[in-house]
Amino acid sequence: DGGITQSPKYLFRKEGQNVTLSCEQNLNHDAMYWYRQDPGQGLRLIYYSQIVNDFQKGDIAEGYSVSREKKESFPLTVTSAQKNPTAFYLCASSIGRGVASGELFFGEGSRLTVL
Amino acid sequence: KNEVEQSPQNLTAQEGEFITINCSYSVGISALHWLQQHPGGGIVSLFMLSSGKKKHGRLIATINIQEKHSSLHITASHPRDSAVYICAVYLGNEKLTFGTGTRLTIIP
């Protein structure tokens, strides 16, 4: 079945370590997004990509990096520069070229805890 | 002040009741999304609206662009409808502003 796969589901990290969260989709969608969810807050956009080899910063990009080498894959690296990385991370994709033109499809999320 | 306000924050109802969740926003938008987040954290898109009304099964979503307001209705509610319902508005440049969600609990 088509969908978005995020891994790992749970991840623990020591302070000072970089970690990479995987996001793979087989929906043939052009647009992909990374969101962060914290308790009591709405989702916030970290990065998005509308086409291979191109991506744009969202509202809270500091301390994160992404790549889009293949249409299907949009990994997120949480670097040691991210001051408060403990959060729930959601990857999404959209049919067409973005959120104004179509439905959003989400992965199951990755919960990162910094020890 | 948040650009997107949802009400109520929490809602508990008996199975079979008609449910209404509200979303108000403060700026002009071109699209609004309703999402459902399950207890495990996964999110499912329910509707994307730019005007009028949409219906899917027992779910109905409406939007009034002039009043900057949208509602999500659930008819004949069921315990499996228990989830967090999130409204998100599109402001441009691929950015959605999300509400903080309405936690719905349906009691059998």
Side-chain angles (χ1 to χ4, degrees):
Chain A
D1 284 354
I4 298 182
T5 301
Q6 287 188 240
S7 63
K9 193 170 176 67
Y10 298 95
L11 184 61
F12 298 89
R13 186 194 98 174
K14 293 181 181 178
E15 283 192 25
Q17 287 181 333
N18 293 355
V19 293
T20 297
L21 308 181
S22 170
C23 178
E24 303 280 330
Q25 54 103 355
N26 59 3
L27 300 165
N28 200 35
H29 288 172
D30 286 311
M32 295 186 75
Y33 309 84
W34 274 106
Y35 293 98
R36 171 181 171 139
Q37 188 177 37
D38 294 283
Q41 297 189 38
L43 277 70
R44 292 180 290 167
L45 180 64
I46 305 172
Y47 270 97
Y48 68 95
S49 168
Q50 292 178 291
I51 196 167
V52 174
N53 292 323
D54 186 58
F55 48 83
Q56 306 296 328
K57 292 182 180 180
D59 297 318
I60 55 165
E62 186 175 348
Y64 300 98
S65 66
V66 293
S67 62
R68 187 84 187 277
E69 297 176 3
K70 299 186 297 183
K71 189 175 186 179
E72 310 80 48
S73 180
F74 190 40
L76 173 74
T77 297
V78 185
T79 76
S80 56
Q82 168 49 232
K83 296 287 185 278
N84 185 19
T86 294
F88 187 59
Y89 292 88
L90 285 150
C91 179
S93 70
S94 178
I95 201 166
R97 295 301 296 275
V99 295
S101 61
E103 179 182 356
L104 277 170
F105 292 78
F106 284 85
E108 290 294 308
S110 293
R111 190 168 300 277
L112 172 63
T113 302
V114 173
L115 304 173
Chain B
K1 184 183 186 300
N2 289 336
E3 289 172 309
V4 179
E5 297 280 352
Q6 287 188 236
S7 63
Q9 286 189 316
N10 294 284
L11 177 58
T12 300
Q14 291 290 131
E15 182 173 357
E17 286 189 36
F18 181 82
I19 303 298
T20 296
I21 297 170
N22 298 298
C23 176
S24 296
Y25 49 92
S26 56
V27 297
I29 66 168
S30 56
L32 180 145
H33 294 254
W34 279 104
L35 310 168
Q36 180 191 53
Q37 185 166 30
H38 298 292
I43 292 179
V44 174
S45 176
L46 299 175
F47 297 103
M48 192 194 80
L49 294 164
S50 54
S51 63
K53 176 179 174 178
K54 286 190 176 180
K55 184 176 189 294
H56 185 256
R58 294 180 295 106
L59 301 177
I60 303 166
T62 63
I63 188 168
N64 186 318
I65 295 293
Q66 287 74 29
E67 294 187 6
K68 296 185 172 62
H69 182 267
S70 176
S71 292
L72 177 69
H73 305 287
I74 305 174
T75 63
S77 59
H78 190 277
R80 65 174 174 265
D81 297 324
S82 297
V84 176
Y85 292 84
I86 299 169
C87 165
V89 300
Y90 178 64
L91 301 178
N93 292 324
E94 287 306 294
K95 294 186 183 175
L96 289 173
T97 296
F98 292 79
T100 55
T102 293
R103 184 174 299 276
L104 174 65
T105 303
I106 303 297
I107 299 171

